[in-house]
Every structure is written in C-alpha cells, then in structure tokens.
Amino acid sequence: MRVGQVAVPYGVCTEPSNVQAGGGACPFRFRCLGCSHFRTDVSYLPELRSHLDRLLADRERVLAATELETWARTEATPSDTEIDKMRALIRRVERHVDDLTSGERDQINEAIKVLRTTRQVVSIGMPTFTTPGDDVRAIGKATS
Ligand code: SF4
C-alpha cells in the first residue's frame, strides 16, 4: 500500500490527513519527535543537530526569563524528554553512519548532497509519494 509523505522541518510526515492538507493540518501540534508518523534519515542530520541546539538555547533563555508566570514558563520550556529523544535520534543516525564502510559512507555523502540540493529547489511542504522499497531509507524512525 502506498502512503504519501509531506516535509516537516527535519524529516517527513506520513499522517494521511496532514499529507492531504500539504503539511498544514497536523492533528498533534507538530510533536513530530514523539509521533509514529515521523520519519527522518541521515540527510537531515544538520537540521536535527540545529534543532537540538535550538532546544537547548530555548531552555536556557526561558529559564532565565523573569517576565513569565510559572505555567507559561513550564509550557515554553522544552522538556527533558524532548531533548533526550532528539539526542538519542541523532546518536542513532550517527551510529548507522559509523557502521558503514568508508566506500559506503562516500556513496551516502554523495546521495546526501543530491538530496539536500534538491530540497533547496523543490517546494517544501508539497506531498511526495513513496514507491515500494522506499521505507528502507528511513533509518531514523523517531519512536522506535
Ligand atoms: S506530529 Fe506527527 S502528524 Fe504531526 S506533522 Fe509531525 S509527524 Fe506529522
């Protein structure tokens, strides 16, 4: 059975109603890291690392803010769980890369270059459709 995909900031979403809406109708407030519809892979590693850096910076900034009421501070602070999940996901993707031979790594790096270049010119947010066998490329499923 074919399933569609739509881009999210550091991977893709396969949730059917969100895909049908072109990525603008997430039923879960874009909590992709904890969602079984989220897929990522090594080509998103820079975005995954940037997102982790942003979570850590946001946490420090919110904790240092004096103008927030307690409930607002709590809701605005990235949770330890989210940060731990992001760290674990990055490590898992990095481990997959480390397990490759140098030749395989070179091939992956070439493929990543092509993918990342393509993403810069292809409209982000429009659904794409997988073909049988595409799932093997998603090595960083968030919830496993
Ligand atoms: S939280 Fe789940 S359904 Fe929502 S955009 Fe992220 S992957 Fe898709």
Side-chain angles (χ1 to χ4, degrees):
M1 188 170 69
R2 292 179 175 224
V3 290
Q5 298 180 345
V6 67
V8 289
Y10 34 83
V12 294
C13 166
T14 61
E15 200 284 321
S17 62
N18 192 38
V19 171
Q20 195 171 19
C26 170
F28 311 123
R29 296 177 63 212
F30 294 97
R31 296 300 185 263
C32 302
L33 265 185
C35 178
S36 63
H37 297 290
F38 175 64
R39 306 285 185 277
T40 191
D41 62 53
V42 67
S43 69
Y44 292 97
L45 205 45
E47 285 80 9
L48 293 169
R49 289 179 177 138
S50 294
H51 188 68
L52 176 60
D53 290 344
R54 207 162 39 244
L55 288 174
L56 294 170
D58 285 352
R59 182 170 66 179
E60 293 309 309
R61 187 171 31 77
V62 172
L63 290 177
T66 56
E67 59 268 57
L68 289 175
E69 293 181 24
T70 304
W71 69 268
R73 183 190 312 279
T74 302
E75 289 201 0
T77 306
S79 71
D80 289 344
T81 303
E82 183 176 10
I83 290 169
D84 290 347
K85 286 281 265 183
M86 182 54 85
R87 276 201 182 108
L89 178 57
I90 290 169
R91 277 195 208 112
R92 187 148 34 103
V93 174
E94 289 172 339
R95 252 197 330 270
H96 280 288
V97 175
D98 289 346
D99 288 344
L100 299 172
T101 65
S102 66
E104 289 169 333
R105 259 197 299 276
D106 289 345
Q107 287 180 345
I108 291 286
N109 285 334
E110 279 306 308
I112 289 171
K113 262 190 235 162
V114 172
L115 278 172
R116 294 184 64 81
T117 303
T118 304
R119 278 188 207 130
Q120 288 173 358
V121 294
V122 172
S123 175
I124 303 281
M126 292 302 292
T128 58
F129 294 92
T130 59
T131 54
D134 274 354
D135 284 348
V136 296
R137 296 184 306 185
I139 61 175
K141 189 177 175 190
T143 55
S144 57

